[in-house]
Amino acid sequence: MMGSAYIPKAPRPAGLIEIDRANLRALLKHLHREHGSWVRVARAVSYSRAVVVAFYRGEHKGNTTLARGIAKACGLSFEDAIAGKAPPRKAVAA
């Protein structure tokens, strides 16, 4: 009997994996350029500045709540943020 060619994917771990963290750090860099300070970025993400900066530097592993805050501040869905999609561009003022 011939089996199906379909091979199920392994379930994704509940926490963030390193590629997710790298994508989220890129979004934080974007937010920092946009807002101009880590304090403003932290307010946009709804986390303390210390946690946001520690995550950006790789000193804090982060969690899905922080990831959702970063995604929301960038105008992305959680899935798009951890997948590395770019935030939507803002209209240039004339």
Side-chain angles (χ1 to χ4, degrees):
M1 184 167 151
M2 297 207 37
S4 170
Y6 173 75
I7 300 171
K9 287 185 177 180
R12 192 166 191 284
L16 300 173
I17 57 175
E18 191 52 41
I19 191 71
D20 299 341
R21 291 185 195 101
N23 291 335
L24 292 168
R25 287 184 189 111
L27 291 174
L28 281 176
K29 186 175 184 178
H30 165 78
L31 287 172
H32 188 259
R33 277 193 307 259
E34 190 175 272
H35 291 283
S37 78
W38 287 115
V39 172
R40 290 181 182 151
V41 172
R43 286 184 187 144
V45 173
S46 299
Y47 258 80
S48 72
R49 183 200 59 82
V51 170
V52 170
V53 172
F55 178 76
Y56 179 73
R57 292 179 180 164
E59 299 164 359
H60 187 277
K61 289 196 175 225
N63 55 41
T64 55
T65 307
L66 175 60
R68 289 183 193 285
I70 294 169
K72 184 177 178 183
C74 289
L76 295 170
S77 70
F78 172 75
E79 291 79 15
D80 287 347
I82 62 171
K85 297 214 177 165
R89 291 184 160 249
K90 294 190 174 188
V92 177

